[in-house]
Amino acid sequence: EVQLVESGGGLVQPGGSLRLSCAASGFTLSDHYMDWVRQAPGKGLECVGRSTNKANSYTSLYAASVQGRFTISRDDSKNSLYLQMDSLKTEDTAVYYCVRGFHGMDVWGRGTAVTVAS
Amino acid sequence: DIQMTQSPSSLSASVGDRVTITCRASQNISSRLAWYQQKAEKAPKSLMYAASSLQSGVPSRFSGSGSGTDFTLTISSLQPEDFATYYCQQYNSYPFTFGPGTKVDIK
């Protein structure tokens, strides 16, 4: 079964850092483009960042709202994707989803909640 | 960034009704348009890609059409499990952007 499981969310103070993890199973992560999408409480969906696949050199793209603060990385040996979030702001509070970027965004994880508050 | 709009923002319908949701892009996105369904407190689920192609396992009562800037999602006969919020998304250029959503609830 193709599955994505996120972890690493929690409560962090403004200016702090958090690293989200996404463990993939049922497929080879390195073959696929991968995305991080977030949803603030009661709001719509926002693309945060995208990582191309290994064949395209794992190039990363970011939304303007997180550019310079968030970094996507991968560990092929663990079939995992990561989102390093630095200099967090209250407006980064959201559920963060790990998503496979195939035929649009075909497989979604359940999400992990991040709360930025003092 | 490409702006996506949807109409209506919400609708009330009965089981068996035909439902149509419209999505519009602020510029030409060819057919690079996807639709997602989200139920309360759950992750979105992919329904359709390339404007009119069903994801594997999605019932055939869902259909999509359009290209360029104007798109529609149609549910031919609404079922109890279809009450949810529906989002369109363009994946023509990054950042990919979503519409604000259409909430479908029970009449």
Side-chain angles (χ1 to χ4, degrees):
Chain A
E1 180 191 5
V2 174
Q3 194 172 10
L4 296 167
V5 178
E6 304 94 336
S7 60
L11 174 64
V12 61
Q13 292 186 338
S17 297
L18 212 55
R19 188 196 195 205
L20 306 184
S21 299
C22 171
S25 58
F27 71 101
T28 301
L29 196 72
S30 60
D31 291 341
H32 288 271
Y33 284 48
M34 295 297 296
D35 293 276
W36 287 98
V37 176
R38 69 183 179 185
Q39 187 169 35
K43 302 296 184 181
L45 299 163
E46 179 189 17
C47 289
V48 171
R50 159 161 274 217
S51 170
T52 65
N53 58 10
K54 188 173 185 178
N56 288 281
S57 305
Y58 291 148
T59 301
S60 294
L61 302 169
Y62 300 97
S65 58
V66 306
Q67 180 76 47
R69 300 188 299 121
F70 288 13
T71 304
I72 297 174
S73 63
R74 296 176 181 241
D75 185 335
D76 289 351
S77 67
K78 295 182 179 179
N79 215 35
S80 292
L81 181 76
Y82 304 97
L83 182 66
Q84 177 68 40
M85 304 187 296
D86 298 320
S87 303
L88 282 161
K89 305 175 181 180
T90 55
E91 52 263 41
D92 296 319
T93 293
V95 174
Y96 285 74
Y97 295 103
C98 173
V99 191
R100 189 170 77 172
F102 181 68
H103 284 166
M105 294 183 175
D106 68 332
V107 179
W108 294 64
R110 290 186 176 183
T112 187
V114 172
T115 302
V116 185
S118 53
Chain B
D1 298 0
I2 297 175
Q3 306 303 314
M4 305 298 292
T5 57
Q6 287 181 236
S7 62
S9 57
S10 65
L11 65 91
S12 295
S14 301
V15 172
D17 284 352
R18 181 182 182 88
V19 169
T20 298
I21 299 169
T22 297
C23 175
R24 177 165 288 178
S26 62
Q27 62 189 73
N28 188 344
I29 60 169
S30 185
S31 295
R32 299 180 75 78
L33 190 284
W35 288 96
Y36 304 90
Q37 176 193 66
Q38 187 177 33
K39 297 181 181 179
E41 308 303 320
K42 298 291 186 182
K45 171 188 174 183
S46 178
L47 296 176
M48 201 160 301
Y49 64 96
S52 60
S53 297
L54 279 178
Q55 287 284 5
S56 176
V58 174
S60 59
R61 62 180 180 273
F62 290 92
S63 64
S65 65
S67 65
T69 60
D70 294 312
F71 303 87
T72 59
L73 173 70
T74 299
I75 309 172
S76 60
S77 177
L78 199 65
Q79 297 302 300
E81 60 267 31
D82 300 336
F83 292 97
T85 299
Y86 293 83
Y87 295 93
C88 62
Q89 179 212 30
Q90 67 80 18
Y91 56 98
N92 185 67
S93 64
Y94 205 80
F96 302 154
T97 45
F98 294 86
T102 296
K103 185 176 182 180
V104 177
D105 61 22
I106 301 172
K107 192 172 187 178

